[in-house]
Amino acid sequence: MLGMWSLLLLWGLAAPCQGLLETVGTLARIDKDELGKAIQNSLVGGPLLQNVLGSVTSVNQGLLGSGGLLGGGGLLGYGGVFAVVEELSGLKVEELTLPQVSLKLLPGFGVQLSLHTKVGLEGSGTLGGLLQLAAEVNVSSRVAMGISSRGTPILILKRCSTLLGHISLLSGLLPTPLLGLAEQTLFKVLPGLLCPVVDGVLSMVNELLGAVLSLVPLGPLGSVEFTLATLPLISNQYIELDINSIVKSVAGDVIDFPKPPKPIKVPPKEDHTSQLAVPLYFFSTIFGLLQTNGALDIDITPELVPSNVPMTTTDLTALVPEVLGELPPGQQLLLRLQVKQAPAVSLQKKKAAVSITANIRVLPHLPAGAPEALLELNGVMTLNAQLAPSATRLHLSLSLERLSVKLASSSAHPFDASHLEEWLSDVIRAVYVPKLNAGLDVGIPLPNVLNVSFGNAVLEVIENAVVLTVAS
């Protein structure tokens, strides 16, 4: 397994820092219970245990064969201390109980992994009858944590040993010398059988850890690439990963924002929970991607607006008489809203908000031609953001809190543009906000670490981050 990876072992790792997210990545703290579940699931769902069955074969084959431990002149062979070995024939593993998994995180190194299992063996007894044995076995291993050549966290088996417990004779006759022989044989053979199970388990868990490094599509907008920003850190209770979230447009351009001036203070993690801290930077880049793609711009025509929302020159004149000029009453209007800079996202304690600065032009809605704008406004929309997690994404839903506008230019005399705010707010709530929410429906991807689902997570908005906490 070691030959498959280019490794940087974490011999000198310190424990994770006290709740400070120093970089702009997504901070994942995965509880040791989740690692235990991943190991247990790999034993249940994989072929690892089945591969052991039958591995201890007759005295003429395999590990106990003539070329193995029982071979002529070998430690337990015909010329050895137990000359009656020929009486023990056909011994093989018939049953392997699903191991009980226990693990302990070793700060600065990796994991102490233990598997407790029962092995059932069958063979022929001294009188030719069926012989059945059962043995309890503890498999103890030390596993280092490092980073692969692909940049993913990886577990590497450094040491493995087995401790043979009580051996029971379930059926058949076995003289005391042969029982001792069976015990010594199993003591020699079981490490070679069960330590590869540990290695196989780690391979399957490493596949799950490798899913951290992934490219997640964002519909027609672009993609998010997750990479490790730093080496993993290990505490007594959890593994901490600092994961970069690189947002790219469809053309492959990286959407980048200035880094936050100071680290984010993430609240402490409780025992038996896993935690994910999504920084403000990630939200800002997603909205920057929307703005870059023109997904925040819209032409609002009368067909898009409910009938109870006015969209004619007559309605506009009732609000600001100065605007009508020479246009006939009853002329339908068009609103052209353009966002020329990325929205500003705010994450404060218990509140998330988005501020969008837009240029709003009011034009006559004509079937052809390029009409001149009746007026042009500079508007600032403040929208509340409701956040909800799913298993793999964080979903946003926006609602308009307020709109403020100032007059930029007009074909008529200057006027107080604040008289238009209520009307424009109705239009924006009816048409523009649903468009925004449709664009955000793809959600903000969350990194996949050991398939931990954050669908039922407790969500907390803190200063410059959103923290998701889920029970293990």
Side-chain angles (χ1 to χ4, degrees), residues 263-313:
I264 299 167
K265 187 174 183 179
V266 181
K269 187 189 83 68
E270 297 180 0
D271 289 347
H272 308 297
T273 65
S274 291
Q275 193 180 58
L276 200 64
V278 184
L280 172 64
Y281 177 85
F282 196 9
F283 290 87
S284 297
T285 53
I286 293 294
F287 277 93
L289 181 62
L290 289 168
Q291 188 270 326
T292 300
N293 280 270
L296 302 182
D297 300 339
I298 188 174
D299 280 356
I300 303 177
T301 60
E303 301 85 45
L304 301 175
V305 181
S307 58
N308 63 328
V309 178
M311 282 288 285
T312 69
T313 51

Side-chain angles (χ1 to χ4, degrees), residues 17 19-27 242 262-266 277 279 465:
C17 56
L20 292 182
L21 180 52
E22 298 285 357
T23 71
V24 298
T26 298
L27 184 72
D242 192 357
K262 56 184 178 180
I264 299 167
K265 187 174 183 179
V266 181

Side-chain angles (χ1 to χ4, degrees), residues 136-140 161-165 187:
E136 293 188 4
V137 185
N138 280 313
V139 183
S140 179
S161 60
T162 60
L163 178 63
L164 191 62
F187 181 79

Side-chain angles (χ1 to χ4, degrees), residues 331-332 334 364-371:
Q331 172 71 56
Q332 289 187 323
L334 177 146
H365 182 44
L366 302 175

Side-chain angles (χ1 to χ4, degrees), residues 25-311:
T26 298
L27 184 72
R29 291 170 173 167
I30 305 302
D31 193 83
K32 70 174 185 178
D33 293 348
E34 295 294 344
L35 181 58
K37 288 179 187 177
I39 292 172
Q40 190 74 48
N41 290 340
S42 67
L43 289 168
V44 172
L48 300 173
L49 300 184
Q50 291 296 326
N51 290 341
V52 176
L53 300 183
S55 295
V56 184
T57 55
S58 69
V59 295
N60 294 317
Q61 302 174 20
L63 292 168
L64 300 186
S66 58
L69 292 172
L70 300 187
L75 178 65
L76 304 178
Y78 299 125
V81 66
F82 296 108
V84 291
V85 69
E86 65 270 13
E87 300 294 339
L88 187 64
S89 63
L91 188 64
K92 61 181 180 179
V93 178
E94 284 290 338
E95 184 180 6
L96 192 62
T97 303
L98 182 67
Q100 297 176 352
V101 177
S102 63
L103 59 85
K104 177 182 178 182
L105 296 185
L106 306 175
F109 180 77
V111 182
Q112 178 74 38
L113 173 63
S114 299
L115 305 178
H116 177 78
T117 187
K118 293 182 180 180
V119 181
L121 301 106
E122 287 188 3
S124 298
T126 55
L127 300 179
L130 178 65
L131 180 68
Q132 291 182 315
L133 299 173
E136 293 188 4
V137 185
N138 280 313
V139 183
S140 179
S141 56
R142 282 176 70 89
V143 179
M145 190 162 200
I147 186 167
S148 75
S149 58
R150 294 177 56 236
T152 61
I154 178 178
L155 297 171
I156 310 104
L157 182 62
K158 302 299 293 183
R159 189 177 69 200
C160 179
S161 60
T162 60
L163 178 63
L164 191 62
H166 178 66
I167 297 180
S168 303
L169 178 62
L170 302 180
S171 68
L173 296 175
L174 193 65
T176 301
L178 281 183
L179 185 60
L181 171 63
E183 182 174 332
Q184 291 190 42
T185 300
L186 294 177
F187 181 79
K188 294 291 184 180
V189 168
L190 287 178
L193 292 179
L194 298 180
C195 286
V197 172
V198 177
D199 210 31
V201 165
L202 297 182
S203 294
M204 297 180 73
V205 173
N206 284 336
E207 288 185 17
L208 295 178
L209 289 172
V212 173
L213 184 64
S214 60
L215 188 67
V216 182
L218 288 173
L221 300 175
S223 61
V224 175
E225 182 180 0
F226 292 113
T227 62
L228 280 186
T230 60
L231 296 177
L233 297 175
I234 302 174
S235 78
N236 291 321
Q237 293 296 323
Y238 59 89
I239 298 171
E240 181 173 295
L241 303 175
D242 192 357
I243 303 169
N244 266 337
S245 309
I246 304 171
V247 180
K248 296 181 180 180
S249 67
V250 174
D253 299 324
V254 175
I255 309 300
D256 206 1
F257 277 78
K259 306 301 185 282
K262 56 184 178 180
I264 299 167
K265 187 174 183 179
V266 181
K269 187 189 83 68
E270 297 180 0
D271 289 347
H272 308 297
T273 65
S274 291
Q275 193 180 58
L276 200 64
V278 184
L280 172 64
Y281 177 85
F282 196 9
F283 290 87
S284 297
T285 53
I286 293 294
F287 277 93
L289 181 62
L290 289 168
Q291 188 270 326
T292 300
N293 280 270
L296 302 182
D297 300 339
I298 188 174
D299 280 356
I300 303 177
T301 60
E303 301 85 45
L304 301 175
V305 181
S307 58
N308 63 328
V309 178
M311 282 288 285

